[in-house]
Amino acid sequence: MQLESVSLEPQRAAPERELLCIFGTGDLGRSLGLRLLQSGYGVVYGSRRPRSCGPLPPGAQVKDHASAAKSASMVFICVHREHYQLLETLSPVLDGKVLLDLSNNPRKGMYPEPNAVYLQRLVPRATVVKGLNTLSAWALQNGLLAGKQVYLCGDSSEAKQAVGQMATKLGLSVQDRGALSAAGELEDFPLRLFPEWRLPLTVAVGLTAFFYFYLLIRDVIYAYVEKGNDISYRIMVSLANKVFPIVSLVMLSLCYLPGVIAAFLQLYRGTKYSRFPDWLDRWMLCRKQMGLLALAYAFLHAIYTFIIPIRYAVRHKLITLVVDEMKDNKTTPFDFDQMEAWATDSFYVLGILGFFLYVLLGLTSLPSVGGTLSWREFSFVQSKLGHLTLLICTAHGYVYGWNKFLRTSTYKWYTPPGYMLCLVVPSVVLVLKCLILLPCVDRTLARIRQGWERDPPPVEKGDVCATNL
């Protein structure tokens, strides 16, 4: 019988975990402590009531503020600014510590100086770093941190490096925003409400209001004043279904108009190194949001179109027509019109193709889809297919008008119909794009975008000497 060999060497003790301190036992403090414990750190909470501070993550310690701060080199400040006076009394204990300020304010401009700067003034011998204030308790609890970008700022590069290493261990992506004087900008980040969507939403709401009241006057009010017909019931569906495609087409054309303007500016200046005007820069940065709003209006147009046959007014009109023919014992003469059939089928086909390409553009705008495409593929979809979408949707509008522009009854109160107004901007964009695609223009523009300049700046002698050296 052989005995199994047993090693008598003592087992190595597990390495001691780095201890981090958290001031604040609210939702944010508890969620942050749980995440730190899961990442291999030790956590000690500083509380005014260590014995009755509520449930904390398993494995965490809780002490009074002074004892908790003494045991850690980094302290997370998860309390509101109103409680910073307590930190001033702990100034001797916090000497040499790294204080990571996660606080935010309910609104902008509440205080004359940022919270982190105020904290640094209260505890001058500690090193304050502002950061991680864009994380929510919900995101920390659910572990939605992989690749999420957070911002840091502080006057000590060593302190920011320590905080950055901790954040990277949590799965975060860190961006350094400079000195502590940038803390105000970081504190304003969580208070932003759709900053990239403000201009597109303003344009969309403005266009919707303009065309809605314009068509209300031309269709509803005109019929009541001139003919005595009350068709106000059309306001809910028929009028809205005219506004949605108009705004959608204009918004789509506004996505590609700034690119055309930028191309002509580069051709006029003969260089790509001259900065665009601020209004054009801002316009180009919100093209994605404008395209998504255009897609939303296109969806509304499609849904409203589907419900037209089931409306009460449409069903009543059809039944009335049939009953009148039965009462008079006659049939309405109806000759098949080849031209009208071609126009109707072309109108529907162009609408379906345009909506399909609309959806395709919207899908490639999603980060999860666009990230799988190469730059050439993404550029092809957003540029080539985008202009094709604009062309098809514009043709959809032209076929809708067909020969209506020749009738005097179309111009009610001497005003053009809405579809005629909405075709102006996309038509201009397509004409300008065709001019850019001309070989002589396209070659010059390609050379400019590759770095060629029509009038290069003169090279100074000092620059030549430095290059030679």
Side-chain angles (χ1 to χ4, degrees):
M1 179 177 180
Q2 294 181 352
L3 297 175
E4 296 181 358
S5 60
V6 179
S7 175
L8 299 179
E9 295 182 3
Q11 294 182 354
R12 296 181 180 179
E16 187 176 355
R17 297 194 296 180
E18 181 180 356
L19 192 62
L20 302 177
C21 175
I22 299 177
F23 281 2
T25 56
D27 292 338
L28 179 61
R30 293 197 301 267
S31 303
L32 178 62
L34 176 62
R35 191 64 181 176
L36 290 171
L37 287 168
Q38 293 174 347
S39 300
Y41 289 101
V43 175
V44 56
Y45 284 94
S47 175
R48 291 172 294 177
R49 297 182 295 272
R51 297 184 179 180
S52 59
C53 61
L56 296 175
Q61 309 174 42
V62 57
K63 302 178 182 179
D64 61 87
H65 289 99
S67 302
K70 287 180 181 178
S71 58
S73 59
M74 184 183 300
V75 181
F76 296 82
I77 308 300
C78 299
V79 297
H80 294 288
R81 179 182 176 128
E82 291 79 6
H83 305 292
Y84 279 7
Q85 295 296 332
L86 172 66
L87 302 176
E88 188 176 13
T89 62
L90 299 173
S91 182
V93 181
L94 299 176
D95 287 354
K97 306 285 186 181
V98 176
L99 305 183
L100 181 57
D101 180 26
L102 287 81
S103 65
N104 291 311
N105 296 320
R107 62 181 184 274
K108 295 182 180 180
M110 286 188 63
Y111 303 101
E113 59 183 351
N115 296 348
V117 176
Y118 174 62
L119 177 60
Q120 184 67 81
R121 185 160 55 83
L122 293 178
V123 192
R125 294 188 179 180
T127 305
V128 176
V129 176
K130 183 71 183 184
L132 275 67
N133 60 309
T134 55
L135 296 178
S136 64
W138 183 84
L140 289 166
Q141 288 176 355
N142 293 274
L144 304 176
L145 302 180
K148 185 176 180 62
Q149 190 173 60
V150 293
Y151 306 96
L152 301 177
C153 70
D155 296 331
S156 172
S157 57
E158 293 81 6
K160 288 191 290 186
Q161 183 178 3
V163 175
Q165 291 176 352
M166 178 275 304
T168 303
K169 196 171 181 180
L170 293 181
L172 301 168
S173 175
V174 180
Q175 182 179 355
D176 190 350
R177 302 293 292 214
L180 193 63
S181 58
E185 182 184 358
L186 268 64
E187 292 174 4
D188 289 343
F189 281 166
L191 302 177
R192 292 181 176 180
L193 183 62
F194 304 116
E196 298 87 1
W197 289 84
R198 289 181 182 176
L199 179 59
L201 283 173
T202 302
V203 173
V205 171
L207 289 172
T208 303
F210 170 78
F211 281 106
Y212 188 85
F213 287 108
Y214 182 80
L215 295 176
L216 178 66
I217 294 172
R218 289 192 78 258
D219 295 352
V220 180
I221 298 179
Y222 175 84
Y224 183 78
V225 172
E226 297 292 337
K227 302 178 181 179
N229 296 333
D230 184 8
I231 56 172
S232 56
Y233 63 88
R234 295 185 181 180
I235 292 176
M236 300 302 296
V237 178
S238 298
L239 204 64
N241 199 33
K242 288 183 178 181
V243 173
F244 293 148
I246 290 174
V247 177
S248 177
L249 184 56
V250 174
M251 292 290 290
L252 180 63
S253 60
L254 291 179
C255 293
Y256 296 99
L257 182 57
V260 174
I261 296 175
F264 276 98
L265 274 177
Q266 290 178 338
L267 288 169
Y268 174 76
R269 295 171 176 175
T271 179
K272 72 171 185 178
Y273 299 108
S274 181
R275 183 182 175 86
F276 293 135
D278 292 337
W279 59 268
L280 185 56
D281 274 336
R282 188 182 176 193
W283 189 356
M284 296 183 72
L285 289 174
C286 65
R287 287 180 295 178
K288 175 182 176 181
Q289 288 76 16
M290 284 189 173
L292 292 176
L293 286 175
L295 176 61
Y297 276 90
F299 262 109
L300 288 174
H301 175 49
I303 295 172
Y304 270 59
T305 303
F306 281 132
I307 69 171
I308 285 178
I310 64 175
R311 293 173 59 213
Y312 169 78
V314 175
R315 291 186 287 112
H316 181 271
K317 184 177 180 180
L318 293 175
I319 294 173
T320 303
L321 180 63
V322 174
V323 171
D324 289 343
E325 291 182 354
M326 293 176 61
K327 288 171 61 177
D328 298 337
N329 194 22
K330 65 178 182 178
T331 58
T332 303
F334 183 78
D335 297 328
F336 187 80
D337 190 344
Q338 287 280 354
M339 188 65 68
E340 188 68 23
W342 272 99
T344 305
D345 288 354
S346 301
F347 172 72
Y348 286 122
V349 167
L350 290 172
I352 293 171
L353 290 178
F355 185 70
F356 170 75
L357 293 176
Y358 244 130
V359 175
L360 184 61
L361 290 174
L363 290 176
T364 54
S365 299
L366 298 175
S368 57
V369 178
T372 61
L373 302 176
S374 65
W375 169 247
R376 187 175 182 182
E377 293 169 342
F378 183 80
S379 177
F380 173 80
V381 172
Q382 293 295 326
S383 180
K384 303 297 188 299
L385 290 185
H387 283 95
L388 179 61
T389 305
L390 181 61
L391 176 63
I392 292 176
C393 292
T394 305
H396 178 65
Y398 274 108
V399 173
Y400 171 79
W402 196 241
N403 59 354
K404 295 178 184 178
F405 70 96
L406 298 175
R407 306 171 189 168
T408 56
S409 60
T410 302
Y411 304 92
K412 302 173 182 178
W413 282 337
Y414 304 102
T415 58
Y419 79 88
M420 193 176 294
L421 293 179
C422 82
L423 291 173
V424 174
V425 180
S427 300
V428 170
V429 174
L430 292 173
V431 170
L432 294 178
K433 184 63 178 179
C434 290
L435 293 177
I436 293 176
L437 292 178
L438 293 175
C440 56
V441 180
D442 185 58
R443 282 196 299 267
T444 305
L445 187 60
R447 291 181 61 194
I448 291 175
R449 290 175 175 174
Q450 291 172 359
W452 176 80
E453 294 182 272
R454 185 187 302 119
D455 300 316
V459 181
E460 298 181 2
K461 294 182 179 180
D463 296 337
V464 177
C465 293
T467 303
N468 293 335
L469 288 177

